[in-house]
Amino acid sequence: MLIMIDSSKILADVLEMNVIDQENQLKLEGLNNEHVLKIINEFVVLCKPDKVTVITDSQKDIDYVRQRSIESGEEIKLDIEGHTIHYDGFVTMSDHDQARDKVNTKVLIPKGEYRPPAINTIDRAEGLEEILKLMENSMKGKECVIRFFCLGPKNSKFSKLALQLTDSFYLAHSEDLLYRKAYEVFKKLNGSKDFYYFIHTAGELASGKPVPKDLGKRRIYVDLKENRVLTCHNTYAGNSLGLKKLALRLAINQANNSDWLVEHYFILGVHPKGKNRVSYFTGAYPSACGKTSTAMLPGQTIVGDDIAYLRLWDDGYAHTVNIEQGVFGIIKDVNPHDDPLIFKTITTQRETIFSNVLIKEGSPCWIGDGRDIPASGINFSGEWSQGKCDKNGKEIPHAHPNARYTVRIEELANADENLHNPDGVPIHGIFYGGRDSDTMPPILESLNWEHGVYLGASIESETTSATLGAEGVIANQPMSNLDFIVVPLGKYLENHRKFGLSLKYPPKVFATNYFLKSKEGKYLNGMLDKLCWVLWAEGRTHGDYKAIETPEGFITKYGDLKKLFKENLKKYYSEYE
């Protein structure tokens, strides 16, 4: 029998502050969940906003979030209907809030428990004391927005619920594009505490700007014990938007203490010509190794571009879902030639948020967009003109190399029909990408599942502008997931091995390398050649192609590639360099 709780008693401190009206109080009462209300009471009292607003699944509430983001100056309308621009904090080219802050992102670990050596950790008691102190009064003069989301399709055994408190309307608006609304789903929890929760505050704002005043106070702390993330003094979505990479850590912890997997995967539907079938592949690629361009190959469909949950399924396959419904993508080098689908989507009328690009006469411009760079405009540094430098004398580009666009996947012409399927899709194959100029072939199939785990574990990559710090540093990147693996690496890899061996039809595993060069240093393959490698892999999962077995794995036969290149790219593929 469902027992109704006394919400006014649990929210007594908030009600005494007189920051929530009756309409919003009734929205919280409708949840009938003591755990949710206690969290709200604790952090509203701590952060002390002037107003608390609860956002349900209604279009009226969701429209309110976008409108308030514009009114607050966190977003500015652009010329094309539905387009807005957001800027994150900037001091210099080396001191800004426009990339993931790995140094100040830490996992809270109780004393005496295992600390993963590849990620930053802090004693849990010490970390909580520090960040809770930084959050005191941090929402004063601002409005706290309470949001409810579902990570994954609704009514699915894959999915996790997420509660969000934030004083950033930009963040709350971004979440509407990226995640499925779930206030009504929360009402069905029947008092359970089976959800993640995320507390974010931008902290004190800079004078006249909706950005944090003191980036030195930026903290992003992941608390595995309470399934929560506390983050403050930032607005860049990679640091503030807990439901994305920060929730990835929470889910990895849960999955690796159970029988499912959480991976840094895209999900791609491959549609070979004349076969009347679709085969689903996942893939993990370090930055700048071809992940987005593989997920967006022409003629194929996309389920997701970033994070996937995997579970054992009754049909003998592993099934997977995209926990998101949108894309928070790097916009650099998106142009009509290399990424025509994305370019068309973000340059036509639809709800789209741009961040940290140049605005010239109401239109966004970014690095590598295939157009001439304007001589002047507005960007993350304010008024900008070519040659402008920061206070350290470093030239400021017209757009940040980690500038982003945020859009719903359904706005893409190649969105897969199974995006919201609660059963997910069966995985036929997995791609692991790397960057090697002279050794690895463009595609290699593992000898078996365990060998495939090895291929994924041996990925190397170079650091990029997506994280703060030096770029171009070679680093090991197992499964392209190392930054987020909060359990012992050996346990994580062993769980991969066991997962695949328990399947009747384990996915075939492929290693890709799009970056082979000639002796003269020229790339041997074009941007779209990867389509043929992917189609060959799809054929291998159905027994369409034979392969050459080597000690390193199975490689392609020239005749099959020649035919694939002719049929799909109308291109002659040479047997020799």
Side-chain angles (χ1 to χ4, degrees), residues 8-49:
S8 60
K9 183 177 181 181
I10 300 171
L11 293 170
D13 297 327
V14 171
L15 297 177
E16 188 176 337
M17 292 169 63
N18 198 30
V19 294
I20 186 169
D21 62 23
Q22 187 175 18
E23 179 185 357
N24 285 286
Q25 183 182 345
L26 288 173
K27 291 177 182 178
L28 292 181
E29 287 181 0
L31 297 170
N32 196 39
N33 190 304
E34 179 181 4
H35 304 290
V36 171
L37 300 187
K38 282 183 175 179
I39 291 165
I40 292 170
N41 188 74
E42 176 186 357
F43 284 95
V44 168
V45 170
L46 178 71
C47 299
K48 292 184 172 53

Side-chain angles (χ1 to χ4, degrees), residues 40 75 148 172 271 287 307 325 390 393 397 418 422 446 544:
I40 292 170
E75 294 179 54
F148 305 89
H271 303 253
S287 295
I307 301 171
Q325 65 166 7
D390 65 17
N418 283 307
S446 68
D544 292 350

